[in-house]
Amino acid sequence: LQDGQVKRISLLKLIMAISKGAYKYDPEQERNKALHDILIDVESSGIKLGEDTVRKILNECKNKVSTPK
């Protein structure tokens, strides 16, 4: 892996850990209340990210980061 890819995987791992720990995100569930909670916090932080963008990031985490169940 190139340096940029290693950094991206590290960021995805961090996002997954925070999503699972703070928002109780379950990557195995088709629908997650965590997505809504994450969007509320993102918006309240003044960051503009759409629901589709957050969903795509979480899906990328799910597909590229293996986590214990």
Side-chain angles (χ1 to χ4, degrees), residues 7-61:
K7 288 179 182 177
R8 176 121 182 130
I9 296 294
S10 294
L11 284 172
L12 292 173
K13 288 178 180 181
L14 179 61
I15 292 167
M16 180 63 84
I18 293 168
S19 297
K20 288 178 79 175
Y23 296 97
K24 308 301 181 221
Y25 172 69
D26 181 355
E28 300 304 317
Q29 286 188 337
E30 190 69 28
R31 299 179 74 73
N32 272 287
K33 181 184 181 302
L35 176 64
H36 176 73
D37 295 340
I38 292 168
L39 285 167
I40 288 172
D41 283 350
V42 167
E43 187 176 296
S44 69
S45 298
I47 298 169
K48 294 188 183 252
L49 285 176
E51 182 176 337
D52 287 341
T53 301
V54 174
R55 185 178 281 113
K56 286 176 188 175
I57 292 168
L58 290 174
N59 281 330
E60 186 177 1
C61 289

